[in-house]
Amino acid sequence: MQTLSVNLDDRSYPIHIGSQILCDSDRLSGLLSLAIKGKQVALFTNSLVNNLYGSAVYQALSGYSVDVFEMGDGEAHKSLDTYNQAINFLMEKRHNRTTCLIALGGGVVGDLTGFVAATYQRGVDFIQIPTTLLAQVDSSVGGKTAVNHSRGKNMIGAFHQPKKVVIDIDCLSSLPTRQYAAGLAEVVKYGIIADAKFFAFLEEHRQGLMDKDEQILAQIIMRSCEIKSEVVAADEKESGVRAVLNYGHTFAHAIENLTGYGEWLHGEAVSIGMVMATDFSERSYLLPQGARLRVERLLEDLGLPIALREPLSAEKMLQAMGMDKKTTDGQLRLVVADAIGEARITGDFDADLLKAVLSEYCE
Ligand code: NAD
Ligand code: GLY
């Protein structure tokens, strides 16, 4: 098992990454108990993940009073309704401020649990045990918590860092291929925004990635968490550099919004969005010719979409992109790449070129 730290002064926390963690009750118990200060624990999960891994976590918590909150599965349940049910549940079970919530599941469970933890009795502790690749490399780290509003995704949320993240790579063996690929999109993102060598490593190990080779998985999860931790440590509340973690996401959020959150998984929309962002960067800035092709090939080889299936209105795309949380004083800002391994946020771009790129990809 390897451990790295997210360095945020008194909010610093460890990320443990390894295999055979959940099946080793003593080891898991040792890891969890170090981060739980009281006797009460609420395990947040959904029925699918609970059936797969719930009993392993429950067993490791034998010294605690544990209540299990099972929420519905899917993005639709990352909602104020579920939030309300969770608060009722904690109150009914008389959880006090020393309680610790544990999120066992993908990003939906993690984001909802984190937001409940951020707000219940003005804030309680929580631990992340992410079970999807996307949650292991992205959503469980960094303290962004949220629920959705009918008018927009993640519109109600808070920054609230977990006390610990425990990543068991073995959870990925039960993950459906499409969900696994969606997580790989975020892994590719780290290569594009921060580490050219890592991008080349992914290119070299495409087959190992498709085969879920355990050693390669351990390396890519570790490197992804390292990059995310460094960015978060530099800019916890996204006043600047953290925005680079949203490479391709302004396009992706608009695609998800216009296609109704059902057609594409988040990681799939990010894959298409990164192709658009890379093409736009290649045509606008110094990104060398050929970068888009490399990005496209890698994403495609990893089983990800690189284009829309049905046309969308470019005009509506542009409007939906304006809803992005990075928009400041009505000015759309985009994350662009200057090289593979280097990205930045800018409001200074050619709006006509953006429209042209959107027309090409959408219509
Ligand atoms: P998800 O949580 O919906 O999980 C995907 C599916 O896989 C679900 O059906 C889930 O029940 C199932 N599942 C989970 N673990 C499994 C396993 N080991 N084996 C089999 N099935 C399993 O989706 P996700 O992709 O993990 O997360 C998406 C969410 O994450 C979105 O709401 C997105 O907004 C959020 N997100 C948050 C951040 C952040 O920084 N907080 C970053 C990226 C994404
Ligand atoms: N997923 C983007 C962030 O955590 O900032």
Side-chain angles (χ1 to χ4, degrees):
M1 188 176 74
Q2 289 180 289
T3 299
L4 65 100
S5 172
V6 183
N7 297 317
L8 290 166
D9 301 319
D10 59 343
R11 281 157 291 105
S12 298
Y13 54 95
I15 306 171
H16 304 293
I17 302 167
S19 51
Q20 300 190 346
I21 300 179
L22 296 193
C23 65
D24 182 344
S25 195
D26 288 342
R27 180 151 76 143
L28 182 60
S29 177
L31 290 175
L32 296 178
S33 61
L34 284 173
I36 303 175
K37 57 183 182 226
K39 282 281 155 214
Q40 284 179 317
V41 171
L43 180 60
F44 279 49
T45 186
N46 65 35
S47 67
L48 190 157
V49 179
N50 201 10
N51 285 335
L52 290 166
Y53 305 109
S55 62
V57 178
Y58 198 85
Q59 221 180 317
L61 293 167
S62 59
Y64 298 89
S65 158
V66 185
D67 294 305
V68 181
F69 178 75
E70 256 192 24
M71 58 183 278
D73 192 359
E75 191 66 40
H77 297 278
K78 206 177 96 175
S79 64
L80 277 176
D81 272 355
T82 312
Y83 171 80
N84 215 6
Q85 286 162 23
I87 299 288
N88 278 331
F89 175 86
L90 292 174
M91 288 177 74
E92 239 170 65
K93 303 284 181 189
R94 296 182 173 277
H95 281 254
N96 58 43
R97 282 178 127 171
T98 57
T99 193
C100 182
L101 314 189
I102 299 183
L104 174 70
V108 165
V109 170
D111 278 12
L112 180 288
T113 310
F115 186 57
V116 173
T119 49
Y120 184 64
Q121 299 194 4
R122 297 201 181 89
V124 296
D125 290 348
F126 84 117
I127 295 172
Q128 291 268 19
I129 308 183
T131 59
T132 63
L133 181 60
L134 184 133
Q136 295 186 344
V137 298
D138 192 355
S139 62
S140 66
V141 174
K144 276 190 180 175
T145 73
V147 295
N148 301 326
H149 185 272
S150 54
R151 284 170 180 256
K153 236 185 106 166
N154 297 329
M155 279 294 154
I156 307 156
F159 286 97
H160 187 58
Q161 301 293 340
K163 288 288 155 193
K164 163 167 294 202
V165 182
V166 179
I167 297 175
D168 187 338
I169 293 165
D170 293 342
C171 290
L172 303 180
S173 60
S174 56
L175 195 64
T177 309
R178 195 175 160 202
Q179 295 287 353
Y180 174 71
L184 287 176
E186 301 286 1
V187 175
V188 171
K189 173 192 79 182
Y190 291 115
I192 302 174
I193 63 166
D195 188 346
K197 276 193 189 153
F198 183 53
F199 188 89
F201 177 90
L202 298 173
E203 288 181 314
E204 197 184 321
H205 295 282
R206 297 163 213 246
Q207 195 51 49
L209 285 167
M210 291 308 281
D211 298 341
K212 294 189 184 170
D213 178 293
E214 200 179 292
Q215 278 196 344
I216 293 171
L217 273 178
Q219 285 183 67
I220 61 147
I221 294 170
M222 184 74 189
R223 186 65 192 127
S224 299
C225 288
E226 248 169 30
I227 293 172
K228 178 140 190 191
S229 305
E230 281 162 19
V231 174
V232 168
D235 178 22
E236 182 184 8
K237 301 216 168 146
E238 200 167 306
S239 44
V241 70
R242 183 168 178 163
V244 298
L245 294 172
N246 278 315
Y247 188 71
H249 285 54
T250 308
F251 297 91
H253 289 150
I255 294 169
E256 286 179 277
N257 184 283
L258 294 178
T259 53
Y261 298 99
E263 184 177 348
W264 300 108
L265 298 178
H266 175 66
E268 293 174 334
V270 167
S271 174
I272 302 169
M274 288 194 298
V275 172
M276 294 181 182
T278 310
D279 196 2
F280 179 68
S281 301
E282 198 174 275
R283 293 203 227 170
S284 313
Y285 302 101
L286 301 171
L287 189 63
Q289 294 278 319
R292 178 184 54 84
L293 256 185
R294 275 179 80 189
V295 169
E296 263 185 27
R297 278 204 193 117
L298 179 57
L299 292 169
E300 208 169 19
D301 288 352
L302 296 176
L304 283 157
I306 54 169
L308 295 165
R309 275 190 288 259
E310 303 285 338
L312 284 176
S313 143
E315 191 60 41
K316 284 192 177 153
M317 264 294 278
L318 198 58
Q319 267 172 26
M321 286 170 74
M323 284 297 291
D324 191 89
K325 288 194 277 314
K326 289 185 293 302
T327 297
T328 316
D329 296 334
Q331 160 75 60
L332 177 64
R333 295 189 307 149
L334 286 176
V335 183
V336 294
D338 290 317
I340 295 225
E342 243 180 85
R344 69 188 155 90
I345 180 152
T346 182
D348 181 17
F349 57 81
D350 180 344
D352 289 334
L353 179 63
L354 177 63
K355 280 183 198 152
V357 169
L358 288 176
S359 296
E360 275 175 41
Y361 280 89
C362 299
E363 292 169 347

